[in-house]
Amino acid sequence: MDIATLLGLSTGLTLVLGAIFMGGSLLQFFDVPSLMIVVGGTLASICVTYPFEEVFQAFSAGMKIFASRKVKDGEVVNMMVRIAEISRREGLLALENIQTENAILKKACQLIADNADAGLIRETLRIEIGSMKRRHAVGESVFKSLAGFSPSYGMIGTLIGLIQMLARLDDPKSIGPAMAVAIITTFYGALLSTLFFLPVAGKLRSRTLNETLQLEIIFEGAKCILENNNPRLVYEKLSSFIAPRERRYERRG
Amino acid sequence: MDIATLLGLSTGLTLVLGAIFMGGSLLQFFDVPSLMIVVGGTLASICVTYPFEEVFQAFSAGMKIFASRKVKDGEVVNMMVRIAEISRREGLLALENIQTENAILKKACQLIADNADAGLIRETLRIEIGSMKRRHAVGESVFKSLAGFSPSYGMIGTLIGLIQMLARLDDPKSIGPAMAVAIITTFYGALLSTLFFLPVAGKLRSRTLNETLQLEIIFEGAKCILENNNPRLVYEKLSSFIAPRERRYERRG
Amino acid sequence: MDIATLLGLSTGLTLVLGAIFMGGSLLQFFDVPSLMIVVGGTLASICVTYPFEEVFQAFSAGMKIFASRKVKDGEVVNMMVRIAEISRREGLLALENIQTENAILKKACQLIADNADAGLIRETLRIEIGSMKRRHAVGESVFKSLAGFSPSYGMIGTLIGLIQMLARLDDPKSIGPAMAVAIITTFYGALLSTLFFLPVAGKLRSRTLNETLQLEIIFEGAKCILENNNPRLVYEKLSSFIAPRERRYERRG
Amino acid sequence: MDIATLLGLSTGLTLVLGAIFMGGSLLQFFDVPSLMIVVGGTLASICVTYPFEEVFQAFSAGMKIFASRKVKDGEVVNMMVRIAEISRREGLLALENIQTENAILKKACQLIADNADAGLIRETLRIEIGSMKRRHAVGESVFKSLAGFSPSYGMIGTLIGLIQMLARLDDPKSIGPAMAVAIITTFYGALLSTLFFLPVAGKLRSRTLNETLQLEIIFEGAKCILENNNPRLVYEKLSSFIAPRERRYERRG
Amino acid sequence: MDIATLLGLSTGLTLVLGAIFMGGSLLQFFDVPSLMIVVGGTLASICVTYPFEEVFQAFSAGMKIFASRKVKDGEVVNMMVRIAEISRREGLLALENIQTENAILKKACQLIADNADAGLIRETLRIEIGSMKRRHAVGESVFKSLAGFSPSYGMIGTLIGLIQMLARLDDPKSIGPAMAVAIITTFYGALLSTLFFLPVAGKLRSRTLNETLQLEIIFEGAKCILENNNPRLVYEKLSSFIAPRERRYERRG
């Protein structure tokens, strides 16, 4: 469970609702047609912008930001060092039996165990990393578009309300409430974009950067194992990927 | 038929028209001079910005977003594996008879069958991919410009209305309706940009990314066939381009 | 004569003037001090931003957007194929006599005829292409800056008018006309930027992309002639630069 | 102590508070609910956008901008020249005893002393530099996001106040003060972004650029020592990194 | 003396002051507290954003835009050709005595005369060019930040004035003048950014591009001299850097 995501969203929502409550009634800020224009319009534009399957993919990725990150960078380094030790002790063929949840590490081990050409292994892993980045980028891109469309529909809703209000300016008393309703769509658009869509896009980006880094560690580790297969040098090189204070030990023996 | 595009456009339009209808008359939002300034002005600026043929090319590309995508990435991978199997069984010359709608794959097969130099094949395919990207980028670029020009003309129309209204401020009763008409151009500009131009530009971009990926698969596949021509290795490498859950089988026995 | 440029500019201007005329008098929108601030200020800032010669260069490039494009990409490909045929039939020395208006193609032919080192030819053409891009980029860059400065001076003019109007708010009747005049500068700034500067910058960019592509064709063609000098292969490679439907024939038998 | 940071922040704050004081009471600009929406909302969105540890990391990096820079570029050059002299006089093994606070220089010396492969040393240092950049970029990125979120929450707060005010427009006398309170959140958002978040992000960026440069000097210096180990040539090359007027002497000898 | 810079700045200022004068008194636009917030605040934020020495460096670079450019690109080409002729006639050692104000050309000549390794010369010049770019980029970057901060402080000042005005809305007569004063800061911010900071940043950028180009000419020239040392080929290659109409003669010989 990623506490920060939950805490951030609930705190933000509480603060905004609290501010509304302190100044009047919450009901005043609830307007179904305004919601329909902003939420419905934003979703409509997203469906034109991206293929259906990418929108689904993005929303299911968006759900995952509540789940906690599983693996630390340091653990990936340690795993690669362990694999180097196994391959040195038991030979490259032993890598076939490595158990891991990371599909790309699994593939790397199998290719090494198959005694595949070093160039092919490198290129295949490069393609895998590129594929992963591309798939992740879709989620970030969809949420960034949502963050762009929602304030636009907020403004479109406000323009509609404004035009209708201005056209019948007979009763000065109705101006205020009509304006208030017109501005609600702008409020919805800004709130959705600032409190939900932009932060979710940001978190998806953080996750992608993190996973990419771990794939880079696996990639460099696999290269090292293929080239000189010395666990100590593998550690020396891979530990450079992580922050100095997280390194197990700067020098081994 | 790309359902998402049609659904998105019709839903968005329905929501906006519904919101207008709920607050008054639709006719109030229909103003010919405003339409002329926003639509006409935007088209005028586009004709100065791009050569005629590129504008036509963009609009005909824009029409195609209603057509559904034909080929899945996985199918391209399978096709390349099949071609590798054919070339292995029957020799490179057999590739001359490969039937495919993809012009670039056709060219790749012919070059391989011609026993052309590997470097020439690589460079020719690179140029083809670059050409395709450049042609597709024109469509996206034109729609992005449309999305930029339309709100600007919306604002220009509103400024014209505002100046005319302010110059004859004698009758306070006329202020409201005059303002309402002035703001309609801003509404048109925002709606065109948010509901049509930006999403179409986005979909064209999605399409380009998708086609580019398939060309990359063809490119890497052709390289593989030229280099070692082992269908299993071709699959091992090309399957890295697609999402893990779409891979036929991770290992072929 | 580039019809699109002329048509776009005249249509845009007609639509805006028509909209003004329909709502009142054209004279209302003509204000000399406002013009001075927006046009004069924009030019003043441009003169500080760029060296004099680059401003002149940009304006003379801006004039050329009314002239029509001379050469099609397909013609450049055909020309390179013809040059390859000549050089094969009559030897590289014959290239000295090639007649062409394209200065870079001329230089390439001379260097090949001189039997210069292939590396030198490649590097020299690369530098030529870079130089051409840099000179063209100046024009686009100046017009983009103009498109940025003109709305800023529009806003500065409106702020001046607003401050003066607010300072003497005694006579409520004078508010409207004073505001109208104040807003005219914003209108000028937006119109200049949207109808002139941005589209001209865009067209210059289109032209540069087009010329760069033709230089790339010349560059690749020259490389091909130096390397294996087979007109059929030269065509096979260079035709990849142009759209499939513009290719003379996909295969020459 | 970085005097500029402290001076800038205190001067900016004094000027703003002074301007408020000259026009009225400071208390008028202090509003707890407004502060809660802007500061609380901004922090809430940041916690969704970045993992907890990156937010902490960014704030602790933000604190360090008050600390003064320790090492000048010229000193790093001199240090590398001294190391080159030591390694020439006493052999590469002597580098093991080099005392330095710079962890990456320490690692470089150890790898050289270990007689590690030149390629491995180069790659390891490249990874170290990349890691350092990535860690530093987090701080800049978080403060840029803060600078983006705070004006958005300012606008959200103002929209809430505006809607509430417009809904009860009975008493014209209450309009002014209600508007004043509504606008305070916009003021908070703009001030936080302009006076704190953007400048801190900028300073973190300056620091990163500076440290990266010093790592580049170390990297090039290590390469030089490995390759030809001539202190004079090391100086000749590394002095190119620093401004001409800061070079000890242009020519030695 | 760079006439364009002076002319631009004075014309822009005259036009703005003229427009103010035509509509009323200049004194109306002079407000010390507003100046303090905008100018003082902008400087305060700059001091936090950049280290002290970089701010000084930027302002001293900003002063130099009034000085005229000294060397034309064509002269640099001719100089390199002359150096090639000298080195051919009198040997590489003669380059030690080349007199030039360009520090990097001086360094290149000395390295060549020293018979240094070609790779070292190339790398050293690359580092010099990178250093020069980095130092110049600081100036542009500082002025771009100034151009960003000044309108922000303009808005902050206006918000302060607005809040104070709205809080005491008793006397309707005071609204106008109070608003006028509040808006003056926005005017200051926009004027400083548009007339000074952005154009100066632009000119610094133009200068950097120009100097970088000349260093590229020196770099390519030095490479040529080292490689084949034929003045005619040096000219043939370097003349590609300059516009065709500025080339002395297209062919010598």
Side-chain angles (χ1 to χ4, degrees):
Chain A
M1 188 73 202
D2 186 332
I3 287 291
T5 305
L6 200 74
L7 207 75
L9 283 180
S10 57
T11 310
L13 210 59
T14 309
L15 282 167
V16 169
L17 292 181
I20 291 175
F21 193 74
M22 280 168 68
S25 141
L26 278 175
L27 270 172
Q28 209 173 1
F29 283 79
F30 187 71
D31 187 56
V32 173
S34 302
L35 262 179
M36 273 170 57
I37 283 204
V38 177
V39 175
T42 301
L43 289 177
S45 281
I46 276 295
C47 284
V48 183
T49 310
Y50 296 93
F52 248 160
E53 62 263 31
E54 294 192 356
V55 177
F56 286 133
Q57 200 178 319
F59 280 119
S60 82
M63 282 303 104
K64 284 189 201 132
I65 63 165
F66 291 104
S68 58
R69 238 168 45 136
K70 284 191 216 86
V71 190
K72 292 215 154 195
D73 299 344
E75 294 172 32
V76 179
V77 171
N78 292 341
M79 190 164 52
M80 291 313 292
V81 174
R82 236 174 304 127
I83 290 174
E85 283 162 355
I86 291 171
S87 79
R88 179 165 240 195
R89 251 196 338 263
E90 312 173 23
L92 291 175
L93 245 166
L95 297 191
E96 181 119 35
N97 308 314
I98 296 286
Q99 294 306 320
T100 167
E101 281 181 19
N102 188 313
I104 292 177
L105 178 53
K106 185 87 195 143
K107 187 158 198 173
C109 288
Q110 281 178 336
L111 286 167
I112 296 177
D114 279 8
N115 205 6
D117 175 60
L120 180 78
I121 297 178
R122 235 183 353 251
E123 275 191 53
T124 303
L125 292 185
R126 269 278 152 249
I127 293 176
E128 287 279 358
I129 293 177
S131 281
M132 190 280 285
K133 270 192 196 170
R134 208 172 32 239
R135 283 194 301 274
H136 280 227
V138 166
E140 192 194 336
S141 171
V142 168
F143 275 95
K144 267 193 184 160
S145 294
L146 285 167
F149 281 130
S150 60
S152 298
Y153 277 102
M155 205 189 83
I156 287 174
T158 297
L159 285 170
I160 293 176
L162 221 61
I163 292 170
Q164 289 175 336
M165 183 205 79
L166 287 165
R168 49 173 142 73
L169 216 57
D170 312 332
D171 179 13
K173 282 206 171 158
S174 74
I175 298 179
M179 274 285 283
V181 172
I183 294 178
I184 282 179
T185 55
T186 296
F187 169 70
Y188 285 167
L191 192 63
L192 278 174
S193 177
T194 310
L195 186 54
F196 291 97
F197 297 144
L198 271 184
V200 171
K203 186 75 123 218
L204 289 176
R205 190 178 151 74
S206 289
R207 292 278 164 96
T208 306
L209 287 176
N210 184 259
E211 282 193 42
T212 310
L213 180 63
Q214 300 193 347
L215 293 185
E216 288 293 333
I217 297 174
I218 292 172
F219 179 73
E220 288 293 334
K223 257 175 59 188
C224 254
I225 291 173
L226 277 168
E227 277 163 17
N228 45 35
N229 204 3
N230 176 341
R232 191 167 144 273
L233 285 178
V234 171
Y235 179 76
E236 206 72 70
K237 194 172 175 188
L238 297 191
S239 66
S240 298
F241 276 111
I242 54 180
R245 67 173 183 287
E246 287 172 29
R247 295 180 192 170
R248 239 182 330 160
Y249 32 63
E250 191 58 26
R251 297 281 289 172
R252 309 200 313 163
Chain B
M1 189 73 202
D2 187 331
I3 287 290
T5 305
L6 199 74
L7 206 77
L9 283 180
S10 57
T11 309
L13 211 58
T14 309
L15 283 167
V16 169
L17 292 181
I20 291 175
F21 193 74
M22 279 168 67
S25 141
L26 278 174
L27 270 172
Q28 211 174 0
F29 284 78
F30 188 70
D31 187 58
V32 173
S34 302
L35 261 178
M36 275 170 56
I37 283 205
V38 176
V39 176
T42 301
L43 289 177
S45 280
I46 276 294
C47 284
V48 183
T49 310
Y50 296 93
F52 249 161
E53 62 264 30
E54 295 193 355
V55 177
F56 286 134
Q57 200 179 318
F59 280 118
S60 81
M63 282 301 105
K64 282 189 203 135
I65 62 164
F66 291 104
S68 57
R69 240 170 43 139
K70 285 191 215 85
V71 191
K72 291 215 155 195
D73 300 344
E75 294 172 32
V76 179
V77 171
N78 292 341
M79 191 165 52
M80 292 312 293
V81 173
R82 236 175 303 129
I83 290 174
E85 283 163 356
I86 292 172
S87 78
R88 180 165 238 195
R89 251 193 342 258
E90 311 173 24
L92 292 175
L93 245 167
L95 297 191
E96 181 118 34
N97 308 313
I98 297 287
Q99 294 306 321
T100 167
E101 280 181 18
N102 187 313
I104 292 178
L105 178 54
K106 185 87 194 140
K107 188 158 198 173
C109 288
Q110 282 178 337
L111 285 167
I112 296 177
D114 279 8
N115 205 6
D117 176 61
L120 181 77
I121 297 179
R122 236 187 348 254
E123 274 190 53
T124 304
L125 291 185
R126 269 276 151 251
I127 294 175
E128 287 279 358
I129 293 177
S131 281
M132 192 281 286
K133 269 191 198 170
R134 207 172 31 240
R135 283 195 302 274
H136 279 227
V138 166
E140 192 195 335
S141 169
V142 168
F143 276 95
K144 266 194 186 159
S145 294
L146 284 167
F149 282 130
S150 60
S152 299
Y153 276 102
M155 203 188 85
I156 287 174
T158 296
L159 286 170
I160 293 176
L162 222 60
I163 293 170
Q164 289 175 337
M165 184 205 79
L166 287 166
R168 47 171 144 75
L169 216 58
D170 312 334
D171 180 13
K173 282 205 174 160
S174 74
I175 297 180
M179 274 286 282
V181 173
I183 294 178
I184 282 179
T185 54
T186 295
F187 169 70
Y188 285 168
L191 192 63
L192 278 173
S193 176
T194 309
L195 186 54
F196 291 98
F197 298 143
L198 270 184
V200 171
K203 186 76 124 218
L204 289 176
R205 190 178 152 74
S206 288
R207 291 278 163 96
T208 306
L209 287 177
N210 184 258
E211 283 193 42
T212 309
L213 180 62
Q214 299 194 348
L215 294 184
E216 288 292 334
I217 297 174
I218 292 171
F219 179 73
E220 289 292 335
K223 258 175 61 187
C224 255
I225 291 173
L226 277 167
E227 277 163 17
N228 45 35
N229 205 4
N230 177 340
R232 192 167 144 274
L233 285 178
V234 170
Y235 179 78
E236 206 72 70
K237 193 172 175 188
L238 297 191
S239 66
S240 299
F241 275 110
I242 54 179
R245 68 175 182 286
E246 287 173 30
R247 295 181 191 169
R248 239 182 331 161
Y249 32 64
E250 191 58 25
R251 296 281 289 172
R252 306 200 314 165
Chain C
M1 189 73 202
D2 187 332
I3 287 289
T5 305
L6 200 72
L7 206 76
L9 284 179
S10 57
T11 309
L13 211 58
T14 310
L15 282 167
V16 169
L17 292 181
I20 292 175
F21 193 73
M22 279 168 68
S25 142
L26 278 174
L27 270 171
Q28 209 173 1
F29 284 77
F30 188 72
D31 187 57
V32 173
S34 301
L35 262 179
M36 275 170 56
I37 282 204
V38 177
V39 176
T42 301
L43 289 177
S45 280
I46 276 294
C47 284
V48 183
T49 310
Y50 296 94
F52 249 160
E53 62 265 30
E54 294 192 356
V55 178
F56 285 134
Q57 200 179 319
F59 280 118
S60 81
M63 283 300 105
K64 282 188 204 136
I65 62 163
F66 291 104
S68 57
R69 240 170 43 139
K70 285 192 216 83
V71 191
K72 291 214 155 197
D73 300 345
E75 294 172 32
V76 179
V77 170
N78 293 341
M79 192 164 52
M80 291 313 292
V81 173
R82 235 176 304 129
I83 290 175
E85 284 162 355
I86 291 172
S87 79
R88 180 164 238 196
R89 254 196 337 261
E90 311 174 24
L92 291 175
L93 245 166
L95 297 190
E96 180 118 35
N97 307 313
I98 297 286
Q99 293 305 321
T100 168
E101 281 182 15
N102 187 313
I104 292 176
L105 177 54
K106 186 88 196 138
K107 187 158 198 173
C109 288
Q110 282 179 337
L111 286 167
I112 295 176
D114 279 10
N115 204 5
D117 175 61
L120 181 76
I121 297 179
R122 241 191 340 260
E123 273 190 54
T124 304
L125 290 185
R126 270 276 151 252
I127 293 175
E128 287 279 356
I129 293 177
S131 281
M132 191 280 286
K133 270 192 197 170
R134 205 170 34 237
R135 283 194 302 275
H136 280 227
V138 166
E140 192 195 334
S141 169
V142 168
F143 276 95
K144 267 195 186 160
S145 294
L146 284 167
F149 281 130
S150 60
S152 298
Y153 276 102
M155 203 188 85
I156 288 173
T158 296
L159 286 171
I160 293 176
L162 221 61
I163 293 170
Q164 289 174 337
M165 185 205 77
L166 287 167
R168 46 171 144 75
L169 216 57
D170 312 333
D171 179 14
K173 282 206 174 159
S174 74
I175 297 179
M179 272 286 282
V181 172
I183 294 178
I184 281 179
T185 54
T186 295
F187 169 70
Y188 284 168
L191 192 63
L192 279 173
S193 176
T194 309
L195 186 54
F196 290 97
F197 298 143
L198 270 184
V200 171
K203 186 76 126 220
L204 289 176
R205 189 178 152 74
S206 289
R207 291 278 164 97
T208 306
L209 287 177
N210 185 259
E211 283 194 43
T212 310
L213 180 62
Q214 300 194 348
L215 294 185
E216 288 292 333
I217 296 174
I218 292 172
F219 179 74
E220 288 293 335
K223 257 175 59 187
C224 253
I225 291 173
L226 277 168
E227 278 163 17
N228 45 33
N229 205 4
N230 177 340
R232 191 167 143 275
L233 285 178
V234 170
Y235 179 77
E236 207 72 68
K237 191 172 175 187
L238 297 192
S239 66
S240 299
F241 276 111
I242 55 179
R245 67 175 184 287
E246 287 173 29
R247 294 180 192 171
R248 240 181 329 160
Y249 32 65
E250 191 58 25
R251 295 281 291 172
R252 308 199 315 162
Chain D
M1 188 73 202
D2 186 332
I3 286 291
T5 305
L6 200 73
L7 207 74
L9 283 179
S10 57
T11 310
L13 211 58
T14 310
L15 282 167
V16 169
L17 293 181
I20 290 174
F21 194 75
M22 279 168 66
S25 142
L26 277 175
L27 270 172
Q28 208 173 1
F29 284 78
F30 187 72
D31 186 57
V32 173
S34 301
L35 262 178
M36 273 170 58
I37 282 203
V38 177
V39 175
T42 302
L43 290 177
S45 281
I46 276 295
C47 284
V48 183
T49 311
Y50 296 94
F52 248 160
E53 60 265 31
E54 294 192 357
V55 178
F56 286 133
Q57 200 178 318
F59 280 119
S60 82
M63 283 302 105
K64 282 187 203 137
I65 63 165
F66 291 103
S68 57
R69 237 170 42 140
K70 284 190 214 86
V71 190
K72 292 215 154 196
D73 300 344
E75 294 172 31
V76 179
V77 171
N78 293 341
M79 191 164 52
M80 290 313 292
V81 174
R82 234 174 305 126
I83 290 174
E85 284 163 353
I86 292 171
S87 79
R88 180 165 238 194
R89 251 195 340 261
E90 312 173 23
L92 290 175
L93 245 167
L95 297 191
E96 180 120 35
N97 308 314
I98 296 287
Q99 294 306 320
T100 167
E101 281 182 16
N102 187 313
I104 292 177
L105 177 54
K106 185 86 194 143
K107 186 157 198 174
C109 289
Q110 282 177 335
L111 285 168
I112 296 177
D114 279 9
N115 204 6
D117 175 59
L120 180 77
I121 296 179
R122 237 187 346 256
E123 275 191 54
T124 304
L125 290 186
R126 269 278 151 249
I127 294 175
E128 287 279 358
I129 294 177
S131 281
M132 190 279 285
K133 271 193 196 169
R134 207 171 34 238
R135 282 194 302 274
H136 280 227
V138 166
E140 193 194 335
S141 170
V142 168
F143 275 95
K144 269 195 183 158
S145 294
L146 285 168
F149 282 129
S150 59
S152 298
Y153 277 101
M155 205 188 83
I156 288 174
T158 297
L159 285 170
I160 293 176
L162 221 60
I163 292 170
Q164 289 174 336
M165 183 205 79
L166 286 166
R168 47 170 145 73
L169 217 59
D170 313 332
D171 179 14
K173 283 207 171 156
S174 74
I175 297 179
M179 273 285 282
V181 172
I183 294 178
I184 282 180
T185 54
T186 295
F187 168 71
Y188 285 167
L191 192 64
L192 279 173
S193 176
T194 311
L195 186 54
F196 290 98
F197 297 142
L198 270 184
V200 170
K203 187 75 124 220
L204 289 176
R205 189 177 152 75
S206 289
R207 292 277 164 96
T208 306
L209 287 177
N210 183 259
E211 282 193 44
T212 309
L213 180 62
Q214 299 193 348
L215 293 185
E216 288 293 332
I217 297 174
I218 292 171
F219 180 73
E220 288 294 333
K223 256 175 62 187
C224 253
I225 291 173
L226 277 168
E227 278 163 18
N228 45 34
N229 205 2
N230 176 340
R232 191 167 144 275
L233 286 178
V234 170
Y235 180 77
E236 207 71 68
K237 192 172 176 188
L238 297 191
S239 66
S240 297
F241 276 110
I242 54 180
R245 68 175 182 286
E246 286 172 31
R247 295 180 192 169
R248 240 183 329 162
Y249 33 63
E250 191 58 25
R251 296 282 289 172
R252 310 199 314 166
Chain E
M1 190 72 202
D2 186 332
I3 287 291
T5 305
L6 200 72
L7 207 74
L9 284 180
S10 57
T11 309
L13 210 59
T14 309
L15 281 167
V16 169
L17 292 180
I20 291 175
F21 193 75
M22 279 168 67
S25 142
L26 278 174
L27 270 172
Q28 207 174 0
F29 284 78
F30 187 72
D31 187 58
V32 173
S34 301
L35 262 179
M36 274 170 57
I37 282 203
V38 177
V39 175
T42 301
L43 290 177
S45 280
I46 276 293
C47 285
V48 183
T49 311
Y50 296 94
F52 247 159
E53 61 265 29
E54 294 192 357
V55 178
F56 285 135
Q57 200 178 320
F59 279 119
S60 81
M63 283 301 106
K64 281 187 203 136
I65 63 164
F66 291 104
S68 58
R69 238 169 44 138
K70 285 192 214 84
V71 191
K72 292 214 154 196
D73 299 344
E75 294 173 31
V76 179
V77 171
N78 292 340
M79 191 164 52
M80 291 313 292
V81 173
R82 235 176 303 128
I83 290 174
E85 283 162 354
I86 292 172
S87 80
R88 181 165 237 195
R89 254 196 338 262
E90 311 174 23
L92 291 174
L93 244 167
L95 297 190
E96 179 119 37
N97 308 313
I98 297 287
Q99 293 305 321
T100 168
E101 282 181 14
N102 187 313
I104 292 176
L105 177 54
K106 186 87 195 139
K107 186 156 199 174
C109 288
Q110 282 178 337
L111 285 167
I112 296 176
D114 279 9
N115 204 6
D117 174 61
L120 180 77
I121 297 180
R122 237 187 347 256
E123 274 190 54
T124 304
L125 291 186
R126 270 277 151 251
I127 293 175
E128 287 279 358
I129 293 177
S131 281
M132 191 280 286
K133 271 193 198 169
R134 207 170 35 236
R135 283 193 302 274
H136 280 227
V138 165
E140 193 195 334
S141 169
V142 167
F143 275 95
K144 269 195 183 159
S145 294
L146 285 167
F149 282 130
S150 59
S152 298
Y153 277 101
M155 204 188 85
I156 288 173
T158 297
L159 286 171
I160 293 176
L162 222 61
I163 292 170
Q164 289 175 337
M165 184 205 77
L166 286 166
R168 47 171 145 74
L169 216 57
D170 313 333
D171 179 14
K173 283 208 173 156
S174 74
I175 297 179
M179 273 285 281
V181 172
I183 294 178
I184 282 180
T185 54
T186 295
F187 169 70
Y188 285 166
L191 192 63
L192 279 173
S193 176
T194 310
L195 187 54
F196 290 97
F197 298 142
L198 270 184
V200 170
K203 187 75 125 221
L204 289 176
R205 188 178 152 75
S206 289
R207 292 278 164 95
T208 306
L209 286 177
N210 184 259
E211 282 194 43
T212 309
L213 180 62
Q214 300 195 347
L215 294 185
E216 289 292 333
I217 297 174
I218 292 172
F219 180 73
E220 288 293 334
K223 257 175 59 187
C224 254
I225 291 173
L226 277 168
E227 277 163 18
N228 46 33
N229 206 2
N230 177 342
R232 191 167 143 273
L233 286 177
V234 169
Y235 179 77
E236 206 73 68
K237 191 171 176 189
L238 297 190
S239 67
S240 298
F241 276 110
I242 55 180
R245 66 174 186 286
E246 286 173 31
R247 294 178 192 171
R248 240 183 327 161
Y249 32 64
E250 191 59 24
R251 297 280 291 170
R252 308 199 316 164

